[in-house]
């Protein structure tokens, strides 16, 4: 018997509910936040009292069967690493990123290896089967067990999956999926949420992994997927500048692994290629004997990565000095400039300052503070630093260079890439046995001494 349904309008900000739509939510006064939601009253069979208290139970951990989680390798090591070792059976994975970043491309590429032994279904609501075929041809993807479906009705898709029981499903994209019982248009919060719930049930019932693509809209908030983050098991973000060929894949949530691993890819004319040595890629092509450049070493998960930080300091033409930062937190640049003025005596008051991290990488670890400060000082003084030296350390408000974690791994990465000198926080230096390393290590307490060590 079909369930009785009623529609309500719910504010996506504060959860205010109403039978009527409002332009401005009476609960929180936000505009355009009321979205239509579809509610189903419990069906007869369930409310008949079939579920008794005796029907549920709680188990101790010992009594829960611990079948080892089964993972499918995607054939791309960088992606497997981000997922924590492969795709877990029965998991729901959200892959999001800006339109055109390469989500469909990477998913089609992993089909090449996955669909050798597994039944994979690629459901596309964006492209026709013919378009996908053309793309697969270009990417050299032609596995025997891949099936393509062009469909947007999520209930029909769920039915098909329940009958055909595939091993892996890809849904491209969740914004095009349509749940007919919800009247709002595809891509709306209610549609996206209901469609995901349907897919979630299929994934858990059949124990098949489902990968969902979600586009990020213009304001940086995902149109829909943000609401899904709590439903799905893993959320992967594809980042990168569209005009740069490098793409970084990051896990922001993972119920089956760590969230700080990243995967680095390069977009080529034959699809995405893994970058096995990201440090080499990020520091290649550095200008020689030019001021305003310093190499940083940050930890991305368990991997140390080197990146070039560039600073440019020029006299302000008029008005307030301009400060800009790409790949590094803007407010932290302001703080570093203040520390450099007050504690180290470098004056930027009438200077514009620009910071750029080469290659589209975002440095969010405080260990990159020292490199940013050094790049600014080098440009201010117009003195080029040694190009075979790098520096890392956190800068405190007192102008002190503070300890960082994973010091040895960072130094090893610097050695591996042919650097000859490493400037590190003094307290890290004290704990190291410098004879273990094949590189000159200098411990610095202050920014001034770090600047001298870079010359
Ligand atoms: P796509 O995977 O369609 O993006 P998304 O699904 O995230 O919206 O990627 C599209 C872009 O990738 C497109 O602008 C062209 C580029 N591209 C290549 O450079 N090489 C290729 O082999 C492919 C397939 C795409
Ligand atoms: Mg796409």
């Amino acid at each position: 018997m079909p369930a009785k349904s009623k529609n309500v309008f719910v504010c996506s900000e504060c959860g205010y509910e109403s039978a009527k739509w409002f332009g401005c939510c009476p609960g929180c006064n936000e505009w355009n936040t009321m979205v239509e939601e579809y509610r189903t009253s419990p069906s007869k069979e369930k409310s008949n009292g079939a579920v008794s208290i005796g029907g549920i139970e709680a188990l101790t951990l010992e009594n829960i069967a611990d079948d080892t989680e089964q993972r499918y390798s995607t054939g791309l090591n960088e992606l497997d690493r981000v997922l924590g070792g492969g795709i877990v059976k029965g998991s729901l994975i959200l892959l999001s990123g800006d339109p055109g970043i390469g989500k469909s491309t990477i998913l089609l590429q992993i089909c090449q290896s996955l669909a050798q032994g597994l039944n994979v279904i690629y459901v596309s609501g964006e492209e026709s089967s013919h378009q996908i075929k053309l793309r697969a041809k270009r990417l050299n993807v032609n596995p025997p067990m891949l099936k393509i479906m062009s469909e947007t009705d999520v209930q029909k898709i769920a039915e098909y999956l329940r009958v055909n029981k595939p091993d892996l499903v890809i849904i491209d994209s969740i914004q095009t999926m349509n749940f007919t019982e919800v009247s709002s248009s595809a891509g709306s919060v209610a549609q996206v949420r209901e469609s995901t719930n349907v897919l979630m049930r299929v994934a858990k019932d059949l124990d098949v992994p489902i990968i969902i693509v979600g586009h990020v809209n213009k304001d940086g908030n995902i149109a829909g997927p943000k609401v899904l983050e709590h439903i799905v098991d893993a959320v992967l973000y594809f980042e990168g500048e569209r005009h740069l060929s490098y793409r970084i894949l990051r896990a922001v949530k993972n119920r089956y692994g760590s969230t700080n691993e990243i995967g680095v890819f390069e977009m080529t004319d034959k699809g995405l290629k893994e970058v096995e040595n990201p440090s080499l890629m990020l520091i290649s092509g550095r200008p020689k004997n030019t001021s305003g450049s310093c190499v940083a070493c940050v930890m991305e998960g368990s991997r140390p990565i080197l990146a070039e930080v560039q600073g440019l300091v020029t006299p302000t033409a008029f008005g307030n000095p301009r400060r800009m930062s790409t790949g590094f937190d803007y407010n932290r640049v302001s703080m570093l400039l203040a520390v450099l003025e007050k504690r180290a005596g470098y004056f930027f008051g009438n200077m514009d300052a620009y910071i750029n991290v080469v290659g589209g990488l975002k440095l969010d670890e405080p260990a990159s503070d020292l490199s940013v400060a050094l790049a600014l000082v080098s440009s201010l003084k117009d003195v080029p630093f040694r190009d075979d030296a790098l520096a890392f350390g956190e800068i405190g408000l007192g102008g002190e260079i503070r300890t960082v974690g994973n010091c040895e791994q960072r130094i090893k990465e610097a050695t591996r890439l042919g650097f000859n000198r490493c400037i590190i926080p003094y307290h890290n230096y004290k704990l190291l046995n410098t004879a273990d390393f094949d590189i000159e290590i200098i411990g610095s307490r202050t920014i001034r001494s770090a600047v001298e060590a870079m010359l």
Side-chain angles (χ1 to χ4, degrees):
M1 179 187 140
K4 246 173 97 184
S5 69
K6 73 173 191 213
N7 286 1
V8 289
F9 293 89
V10 183
C11 171
S12 58
E13 293 289 321
C14 70
Y16 182 90
E17 286 189 16
S18 139
K20 209 169 78 174
W21 185 83
F22 289 100
C24 173
C25 168
C28 61
N29 293 330
E30 284 290 325
W31 285 90
N32 275 332
T33 53
M34 300 296 285
V35 287
E36 190 175 14
E37 265 194 13
Y38 162 77
R39 295 274 164 91
T40 315
S41 54
S43 63
K44 277 266 161 57
E45 299 90 280
K46 276 186 198 154
S47 56
N48 263 350
V51 177
S52 68
I53 284 296
I56 60 169
E57 57 176 337
L59 296 172
T60 58
L61 286 174
E62 275 170 30
N63 290 336
I64 300 172
D66 57 342
D67 25 51
T68 46
E69 55 182 22
Q70 201 182 336
R71 290 184 186 258
Y72 301 131
S73 167
T74 60
L76 292 175
N77 288 335
E78 295 286 309
L79 178 57
D80 283 350
R81 190 211 325 270
V82 175
L83 285 167
I87 301 172
V88 176
K89 261 185 105 176
S91 62
L92 191 63
I93 299 166
L94 174 67
L95 174 64
S96 55
D98 293 330
I101 200 92
K103 299 180 293 296
S104 309
T105 309
I106 195 171
L107 291 178
L108 202 54
Q109 278 182 270
I110 61 173
C111 290
Q112 174 63 19
S113 128
L114 286 165
Q116 296 295 340
L118 302 173
N119 280 313
V120 180
I121 299 190
Y122 187 108
V123 183
S124 180
E126 300 195 337
E127 292 161 289
S128 67
S129 311
H130 185 67
Q131 278 174 303
I132 297 172
K133 165 117 201 208
L134 286 177
R135 186 198 290 247
K137 226 175 179 176
R138 185 142 50 90
L139 295 173
N140 254 332
V141 171
N142 190 17
M145 291 163 83
L146 172 67
K147 289 207 183 99
I148 308 285
M149 185 200 288
S150 200
E151 177 59 60
T152 58
D153 186 330
V154 75
Q155 278 159 311
K156 280 192 198 160
I157 296 171
E159 227 165 85
Y160 178 90
L161 297 179
R162 282 181 196 279
V163 172
N164 289 282
K165 297 198 173 52
D167 298 313
L168 182 100
V169 182
I170 293 167
I171 305 284
D172 188 2
S173 66
I174 195 68
Q175 277 95 352
T176 55
M177 289 298 129
N178 193 27
F179 187 72
T180 38
E181 285 166 52
V182 180
S183 58
S184 51
S185 62
S188 67
V189 177
Q191 281 283 6
V192 165
R193 189 153 50 193
E194 285 306 323
S195 306
T196 311
N197 277 327
V198 171
L199 295 169
M200 171 80 169
R201 254 168 273 138
V202 174
K204 301 299 166 193
D205 291 351
L206 302 182
D207 204 20
V208 290
I210 302 187
I211 305 177
I212 297 177
V213 170
H215 293 293
V216 178
N217 72 2
K218 289 232 173 60
D219 355 297
N221 260 328
I222 315 180
K226 204 82 194 161
V227 231
L228 307 180
E229 288 189 354
H230 65 284
I231 309 178
V232 299
D233 296 310
V235 182
L236 310 184
Y237 268 93
F238 224 160
E239 297 172 356
E241 303 286 324
R242 270 188 77 174
H243 42 270
L244 288 176
S245 58
Y246 298 111
R247 304 278 186 268
I248 291 167
L249 190 66
R250 199 183 284 281
V252 284
K253 165 178 176 180
N254 193 352
R255 286 186 180 147
Y256 308 103
S258 136
T259 50
N260 29 26
E261 296 293 346
I262 63 164
V264 185
F265 297 90
E266 184 183 2
M267 182 63 99
T268 66
D269 56 345
K270 292 217 164 46
L272 288 156
K273 285 222 162 63
E274 298 174 77
V275 176
E276 271 149 32
N277 199 343
S279 298
L280 188 63
M281 158 206 114
L282 286 165
I283 60 170
S284 61
R286 262 189 314 149
K288 299 258 183 246
N289 283 325
T290 312
S291 64
S293 162
C294 182
V295 174
C297 184
V298 290
M299 295 298 295
E300 289 286 357
S302 54
R303 270 200 300 191
I305 290 184
L306 303 189
E308 186 194 353
V309 180
Q310 293 189 322
L312 184 67
V313 177
T314 54
T316 305
F318 59 83
N320 290 338
R322 244 172 104 85
R323 270 84 215 259
M324 268 175 67
S325 170
T326 312
F328 190 78
D329 182 35
Y330 174 84
N331 293 322
R332 205 146 176 106
V333 174
S334 305
M335 185 208 93
L336 290 173
L337 287 169
V339 172
L340 284 170
E341 287 214 13
K342 178 93 179 168
R343 308 284 180 190
Y346 297 104
F347 290 100
F348 294 89
N350 50 356
M351 296 289 191
D352 292 344
Y354 303 90
I355 284 289
N356 178 36
V357 180
V358 178
L361 194 72
K362 288 194 178 64
L363 304 184
D364 44 16
E365 206 197 0
S368 47
D369 287 352
L370 185 56
S371 319
V372 173
L374 288 173
L376 288 168
V377 171
S378 164
S379 179
L380 178 75
K381 298 263 159 213
D382 207 8
V383 183
F385 283 157
R386 286 174 63 136
D387 58 8
D388 61 345
L390 65 72
F392 56 83
E394 179 180 350
I395 294 181
L397 291 184
E400 78 280 15
I401 300 177
R402 309 181 70 102
T403 41
V404 298
N406 305 90
C407 188
E408 296 182 15
Q409 263 176 288
R410 296 180 208 251
I411 297 174
K412 282 196 185 122
E413 178 76 354
T415 317
R416 193 173 70 83
L417 282 143
F419 283 81
N420 295 324
R421 184 181 279 187
C422 214
I423 292 128
I424 68 171
Y426 181 73
H427 293 281
N428 279 115
Y429 176 76
K430 271 200 317 195
L431 300 174
L432 280 182
N433 183 5
T434 45
D436 292 350
F437 301 95
D438 204 8
I439 184 172
E440 185 186 1
I441 302 174
I442 298 179
S444 259
R445 284 177 209 261
T446 61
I447 300 170
R448 281 230 170 239
S449 63
V451 171
E452 273 156 33
M454 286 298 286
L455 295 173

